[in-house]
Amino acid sequence: DLLLQSIHNLTEFEDENRNLVSINYRALDVEELGSVYEGLLELHPVIENIEAANPNQITFLFHEGTERKTTGSYYTRPDLVNELIKSALIPVIKERLKKNAGNKEAQEEALLKLKVCDPAAGSGHMILAAARTIAWELACIRSGESNPAPSVYRTCLREVIQHCVYAVDMNPDAVELCKLSLWLESHNSGKPISFLDHKIRCGNSLVGVTDLSVLKKGIPDDAFSPVTGDDKDICRELKRANASFRRTGQYDLFDSAPADQEIRNFSSDYNDLEKIRQDNLETVKQVRSRYEHFRKDNRWLNDWTACNVWTSAFFYTYNQETKQSVPSTERLQIFMQRPAAGYGPTIGKADSIAVENRFFHWPLEFPDVFSQGGFDVMLGNPPWERIKLQEKEFFSLRDPKIAKEKNASKRKELIKSLKENNPQFFYEYIKALHQSEAESKFIRNSYRFPKSAYGDINTYAIFCELFYSLINKKSRAGLIIPAGIATDNTTKALFSDFVNNQRLVQLIGFENEEMIFPSVHHAFKFCAITLTGDDNKIAQSSFTF
C-alpha cells in the first residue's frame, strides 16, 4: 500500500479545484530541475518518536529546512537569465566571430574555445542557457543556415558542453544535478555521456588561492588573529613569530620555480584533454584516466598542498593541543623548497581542513583558463547571504526551543547552558561558529577581496568582486545581485572601481513586486549588472530602473 501510494503521489496531484491531474514528466524542461532542487533544500526529513514502543506512533514528516538559505540556492527565472545572456555572452560571441570573419573554420574554433563559468552554479541552468546560445551560433556557421537542423544543433550543443562550460558549487548534490542537466541536454543517439568532472567542480568559490604568487609572500600575519575557540595568547605568539620570519626576507628560495611556469605546465595537460573527442566509450574513459592521472601528478599535488597550508592558517583552531602542528610561513617555505622535508602533521592537517571546508584553488582546478588570463564570460546569481552564523537557523532543526526564543539574551543563556546539559551539541555549535568566523577572517585578511571585504560582509559583494577579478581583458561578466551594489556604503569602493575604470556596461534595477524571487520580500531591490574586461572600456554606462 505504501509503495502504491508513493507512486500515486509521484504521478498525480490535486489542482486548485481539487481535480486530479497527471504529471507529464516528458514535458518537464531540464531547467526545471533547478526549481525542484530548490524545493528539496527547503525540506528536511525528520522521523519523530522513533523510540516509541507502538510503531503507529512513529511518524515521518518534513520540517522547514535551512539549506537553501545557507547555500544561497535560488532559482533564477529564464527571462532574467536571458538578460544576462544578451548583455554579457552575445557581445563576446559577436566579437569572436567578427575577429575571424570570412574564415568558417576559425569561427568554429573561436566559439569552441570560449570559456564560460558560473561560480555558484546550483543546478546549472545559467551555464546551460549559455551552452545553448553558443551551440546555436556554432550550428548556424557549421550548416551555413540561419535555422540549422535539430540534428546539427544537438551535435554542436554536445561539443559546446564538452569544451566551453565550467561550474563550481559548494553543495555536492548541486554539482551532480548540474552534470545531470548537462548530460540530459547534450544527449545524442549512439553517443555516451561526456566526462565532465574536470569542468563541473565542487568547492567554495570564495575560499582558496586565486593567484599562486601569494605563496611566495608567505602567510598573512592576520591569519593568526583569534576567533571563537582559539587561545588568544597562542595566537598572539604565533602572529609575532610569523611576522618576524616574514621580515627576514628569505623569499629567494622560490626564484628557480616561478608560479606562472607551473600554471603553463598544468595548462598543457588540460589542453590535451580538450583535443579528445568524447564520441565513444573508449575516448570518454581516456579523458577520465588522463584527468585522474593529472590530479595525481606530484607537481600538482605539491602546489595543491601548499595552497592548503596557506589557506588553512585562517581556519586552524589555535590551542595548546594544536600548537606544535600549526601552519606558518617558515613551514610553508620549507615545504615548497623540498616537499619531502615538509612537516607531516602540518601537511596532513592542512589537507584535512581543505577537504572539510572545500577549499577551491582556481588556478589548479582550471589551469587552461588561467593560462589565457581568465574566463571569457562569467554568469550567475550568487548567494545573497551574510557570512555570519545565524543562531535561529543553526538551531531550527537541532533545538527548536532555542531557535524560537525571540529574546537574544535569553537565547544566549540557553546556548550557554548546553555546555553542561549537552556538551557534544555545544561543541558542534562552537565548531560551526569557529568555521563561520574563520571564513569571515579569510575574506577580510587574505587580500583576495580588497574592494568588497568591508562592514557586515554579504556574499553578493564578494562574489561580484570574484566575477570582476576572474574575467580576462576581452571578456564580460553578468550577474544578478541586490541593488545595494550601487548604493550601499560598504560596496562604494568596488562600485567606484567599476565606474572609474570604465568597466560597467549596464545596470538594470528591479523591485521584487511581482515576486520574481518568491522567498524574498516584495519590496527588495535587486539588479542585473554587466561588467567588461580591461580591453573593452565602456565610455558611457547604461542605467535602467
Side-chain angles (χ1 to χ4, degrees):
D1 288 348
L2 285 174
L3 178 61
L4 290 175
Q5 184 63 40
S6 299
I7 293 173
H8 168 73
N9 291 339
L10 288 170
T11 54
E12 293 182 329
F13 70 95
E14 285 189 359
D15 63 13
E16 59 274 13
N17 297 319
R18 302 188 66 80
N19 297 316
L20 278 179
V21 180
S22 297
I23 299 173
N24 183 5
Y25 286 99
R26 187 175 184 179
L28 288 176
D29 190 273
V30 171
E31 290 172 319
E32 294 184 66
L33 287 173
S35 57
V36 174
Y37 165 68
E38 179 184 312
L40 289 174
L41 289 179
E42 288 187 319
L43 302 173
H44 187 84
V46 175
I47 299 175
E48 292 187 345
N49 302 322
I50 193 170
E51 297 178 356
N54 184 353
N56 292 327
Q57 294 178 342
I58 301 174
T59 57
F60 174 83
L61 67 162
F62 288 100
H63 285 179
E64 183 178 350
T66 61
E67 255 192 293
R68 185 179 73 156
K69 183 173 176 60
T70 55
T71 58
S73 300
Y74 290 93
Y75 177 67
T76 312
R77 279 183 12 181
D79 46 358
L80 285 177
V81 175
N82 291 338
E83 183 55 50
L84 296 185
I85 294 294
K86 285 193 297 182
S87 63
L89 176 60
I90 291 178
V92 174
I93 290 175
K94 288 182 177 178
E95 185 270 331
R96 300 294 194 275
L97 295 180
K98 183 180 179 181
K99 185 178 179 181
N100 297 281
N103 188 332
K104 180 179 175 181
E105 290 184 0
Q107 286 185 324
E108 288 187 32
E109 184 180 357
L111 289 178
L112 288 173
K113 283 186 175 180
L114 287 174
K115 309 293 185 184
V116 182
C117 179
D118 183 345
S123 61
H125 70 286
M126 194 81 77
I127 57 167
L128 183 56
R132 287 170 174 167
T133 303
I134 299 170
W136 182 261
E137 293 289 345
L138 180 62
C140 290
I141 293 169
R142 188 169 289 178
S143 66
E145 300 174 357
S146 58
N147 189 20
S151 59
V152 176
Y153 168 71
R154 294 196 68 80
T155 299
C156 291
L157 183 57
R158 179 179 170 82
E159 290 182 46
V160 168
I161 287 175
Q162 285 180 7
H163 297 292
C164 300
V165 296
Y166 297 73
V168 184
D169 200 281
M170 68 183 299
N171 188 319
D173 293 335
V175 171
E176 293 305 312
L177 189 56
C178 179
K179 287 191 287 188
L180 175 62
S181 298
L182 295 173
W183 283 330
L184 291 174
E185 190 71 11
S186 63
H187 171 70
N188 272 236
S189 180
K191 304 283 187 183
I193 60 174
S194 304
F195 178 75
L196 299 175
D197 286 12
H198 60 313
K199 300 288 183 74
I200 316 301
R201 305 293 300 148
C202 183
N204 187 338
S205 294
L206 301 179
V207 177
V209 172
T210 52
D211 180 0
L212 295 183
S213 68
V214 300
L215 301 177
K216 296 181 181 182
K217 301 173 185 177
I219 298 170
D221 299 334
D222 285 335
F224 302 95
S225 298
V227 297
T228 297
D230 291 337
D231 185 309
K232 293 181 180 180
D233 292 334
I234 289 176
C235 285
R236 192 179 302 112
E237 177 186 340
L238 293 171
K239 181 183 282 192
R240 274 200 305 266
N242 193 70
S244 175
F245 187 84
R246 280 161 54 85
R247 284 195 298 271
T248 62
Q250 297 181 31
Y251 298 111
D252 55 344
L253 293 170
F254 305 107
D255 289 348
S256 61
D260 58 350
Q261 180 63 44
E262 294 297 321
I263 296 173
R264 283 198 295 272
N265 291 338
F266 298 152
S267 173
S268 65
D269 293 327
Y270 258 64
N271 288 332
D272 288 341
L273 295 181
E274 292 296 294
K275 298 173 184 176
I276 303 173
R277 294 177 61 89
Q278 300 186 46
D279 288 336
N280 55 60
L281 195 56
E282 289 305 313
T283 53
V284 172
K285 288 181 178 178
Q286 185 181 356
V287 173
R288 176 191 289 273
S289 176
R290 294 185 68 165
Y291 172 67
E292 291 175 349
H293 178 75
F294 161 74
R295 300 278 288 197
K296 294 175 184 176
D297 183 285
N298 283 334
R299 294 177 301 116
W300 188 91
L301 285 173
N302 288 339
D303 273 10
W304 180 73
T305 297
C307 289
N308 290 343
V309 172
W310 190 90
T311 310
S312 68
F314 294 88
F315 288 80
Y316 223 85
T317 300
Y318 296 106
N319 54 40
Q320 200 63 45
E321 294 179 7
T322 63
K323 184 179 177 180
Q324 299 306 314
S325 62
V326 297
S328 67
T329 296
E330 182 177 9
R331 285 175 171 169
L332 175 61
Q333 284 195 359
I334 291 172
F335 175 78
M336 291 186 67
Q337 185 185 27
R338 289 183 297 118
Y343 187 54
T346 300
I347 304 304
K349 185 62 176 177
D351 288 345
S352 174
I353 292 174
V355 172
E356 181 181 358
N357 291 277
R358 300 191 175 115
F359 294 169
F360 194 81
H361 311 303
W362 285 85
L364 301 181
E365 297 290 347
F366 303 133
D368 53 332
V369 174
F370 279 75
S371 68
Q372 68 171 32
F375 290 97
D376 296 299
V377 180
M378 291 194 73
L379 301 167
N381 175 15
W384 312 347
E385 304 297 338
R386 289 187 297 168
I387 300 180
K388 186 177 182 180
L389 183 68
Q390 303 300 311
E391 291 175 350
K392 289 184 178 181
E393 293 172 10
F394 180 83
F395 288 105
S396 62
L397 297 175
R398 298 174 174 88
D399 192 326
K401 181 182 178 182
I402 295 177
K404 292 176 182 178
E405 177 56 63
K406 295 181 180 180
N407 186 293
S409 60
K410 289 184 178 179
R411 190 164 62 246
K412 293 288 184 186
E413 290 178 9
L414 290 173
I415 293 172
K416 191 175 181 179
S417 68
L418 290 173
K419 190 172 184 178
E420 293 184 5
N421 301 333
N422 193 336
Q424 180 59 35
F425 189 14
F426 183 75
Y427 168 77
E428 291 178 12
Y429 169 71
I430 294 298
K431 184 179 179 181
L433 194 59
H434 174 92
Q435 197 278 336
S436 175
E437 292 178 4
E439 184 172 352
S440 179
K441 177 170 65 169
F442 177 85
I443 296 295
R444 294 179 189 279
N445 301 317
S446 65
Y447 306 114
R448 268 190 61 177
F449 307 101
K451 299 180 179 69
S452 58
Y454 296 103
D456 195 359
I457 296 175
N458 192 299
T459 53
Y460 86 80
I462 307 301
F463 267 103
C464 193
E465 186 166 0
L466 179 75
F467 276 61
Y468 189 52
S469 63
L470 292 186
I471 54 177
N472 62 51
K473 292 182 178 181
K474 296 182 180 295
S475 58
R476 287 199 175 199
L479 60 162
I480 307 293
I481 51 176
I485 189 66
T487 59
D488 289 354
N489 186 57
T490 54
T491 57
K492 65 182 181 182
L494 181 60
F495 195 74
S496 295
D497 197 66
F498 298 161
V499 176
N500 294 337
N501 289 309
Q502 297 180 290
R503 291 183 63 179
L504 177 63
V505 179
Q506 69 174 31
L507 185 149
I508 303 176
F510 302 88
E511 194 165 296
N512 199 38
E513 282 297 340
E514 293 187 11
M515 303 308 289
I516 292 174
F517 296 106
S519 300
V520 178
H521 192 274
H522 71 92
F524 191 85
K525 294 179 174 64
F526 63 97
C527 67
I529 186 172
T530 307
L531 307 169
T532 187
D534 271 337
D535 284 359
N536 297 323
K537 301 290 187 182
I538 301 299
Q540 187 171 354
S541 304
S542 170
F543 294 87
T544 307
F545 297 94

